[in-house]
């Protein structure tokens, strides 16, 4: 843990230096200085005023906010305070801390939850950063995420770059598919759905969640174990035979959704999503059984 903290500190230290403090109120420097001087800031007590002021300080605030997120002894109330404030301040240093904490299995679940949710405005600025709302979205499999309509968001002096969306997409995919914690999994599912709507190209589908099976004749079966509505395109390799279809999210109580499709021509089928090759399957040339009947 000590090595991780030292590595994070070193990362934050080599990021571009903040510009001269000419774009924020004079009390921003005082607030940042007060927080920086406290080894373990108590953001609910004596340093609360300075802490809250940081979220209106695009130059002085981000480095200290990022540092507080990495603090190992944050309580659940402090994590919630950080979540409520961080949704209004977007900066690459803060996002680095958010994704680091959310992925760290040694951290308390409540802290990882707050960090994961606080990363979502980097992709969908109006999304509601309410954990219970996001869990309901995941459980009811709503096709549209909840939005809060909040627009008063400040970019820090190192604003989100082109990598921010893919970073959040990767985090949500990891939580949705690789964690046993039900709350984190729900956040990942809802977050992934929101990212997929806002920036579908940023979502890299794990091929392990996709199964393409040859049935008979020119008939194939596509199974998806992802809680996403996937629009796919197939092509019969080396021909002009192509087609599209949508695999809906799995039904409640099930782990996968399957879609059948039939190609016009015989040959190896390749399945794509947003240009990403998901699966390849040869046509086995098996004749389909004739339906029985009178």
């Amino acid at each position: 843990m000590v090595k991780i903290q030292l590595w994070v500190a070193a990362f934050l230290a080599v990021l571009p230096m903040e510009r001269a403090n000419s774009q924020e109120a004079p009390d921003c420097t005082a607030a940042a200085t007060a927080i920086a001087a406290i080894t373990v800031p108590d953001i609910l007590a004596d340093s609360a005023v300075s802490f809250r002021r940081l979220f209106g300080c695009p130059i002085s605030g981000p480095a200290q906010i990022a540092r507080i997120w990495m603090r190992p002894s944050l309580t659940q109330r402090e994590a919630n305070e950080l979540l409520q404030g961080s949704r209004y301040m977007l900066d690459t240093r803060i996002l680095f801390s958010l994704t680091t904490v959310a992925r760290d299995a040694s951290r308390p679940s409540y802290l990882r939850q707050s960090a994961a949710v606080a990363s979502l405005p980097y992709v969908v600025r109006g999304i509601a950063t309410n954990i219970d709302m996001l869990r309901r979205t995941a459980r009811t499999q709503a096709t549209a995420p909840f939005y809060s309509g909040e627009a008063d968001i400040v970019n820090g002096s190192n604003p989100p770059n082109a990598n921010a969306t893919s970073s959040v997409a990767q985090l949500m995919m990891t939580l949705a598919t690789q964690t046993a914690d039900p709350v984190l999994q729900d956040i990942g599912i809802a977050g992934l759905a929101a990212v997929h709507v806002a920036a579908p190209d940023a979502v890299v589908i794990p091929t392990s969640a996709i199964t393409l099976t040859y049935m008979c004749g020119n008939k194939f079966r596509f199974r998806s174990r992802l809680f996403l509505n996937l629009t796919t395109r197939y092509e019969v390799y080396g021909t002009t035979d192509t087609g599209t279809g949508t695999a809906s999210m799995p039904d409640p109580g099930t782990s996968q959704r399957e879609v059948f499709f039939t190609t016009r021509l015989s040959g190896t089928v390749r399945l794509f999503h947003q240009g990403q090759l998901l699966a390849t399957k040869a046509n086995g040339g098996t004749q389909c059984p004739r339906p029985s009947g009178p």
Side-chain angles (χ1 to χ4, degrees), residues 8-25:
V8 171
F11 174 87
L12 295 175
V14 299
L15 284 169
M17 294 296 291
E18 295 175 343
R19 298 190 300 271
N21 191 4
S22 59
Q23 300 178 8
E24 57 186 15

Side-chain angles (χ1 to χ4, degrees), residues 137-157:
T137 301
R139 291 181 175 187
T140 59
Q141 300 181 11
T143 55
F146 288 97
Y147 291 92
S148 61
E150 296 162 352
D152 298 329
I153 294 179
V154 177
N155 277 330
S157 55

Side-chain angles (χ1 to χ4, degrees), residues 68-105:
I68 295 172
W69 268 110
M70 294 301 301
R71 212 186 86 194
S73 57
L74 285 166
T75 66
Q76 188 162 2
R77 285 186 61 201
E78 288 176 319
N80 186 62
E81 284 286 321
L82 275 169
L83 168 58
Q84 299 313 312
S86 295
R87 60 183 175 172
Y88 298 112
M89 170 71 76
L90 305 184
D91 188 276
T92 55
R93 290 159 291 185
I94 300 174
L95 179 59
F96 175 80
S97 291
L98 295 176
T99 55
T100 299
V101 170
R103 290 178 178 275
D104 188 351

Side-chain angles (χ1 to χ4, degrees), residues 8 39 44 72 78 80 92 119 147 151 157 164 201 245 258 269 273 286:
V8 171
T39 304
L44 296 177
E78 288 176 319
N80 186 62
T92 55
S119 73
Y147 291 92
S157 55
D201 290 345
E258 63 182 20
V269 169
H273 170 71
T286 303

Side-chain angles (χ1 to χ4, degrees), residues 172-184:
M172 294 302 148
M173 181 65 76
T174 298
L175 295 179
T177 61
Q178 299 179 27
T179 179
D181 185 312
V183 180
L184 287 170

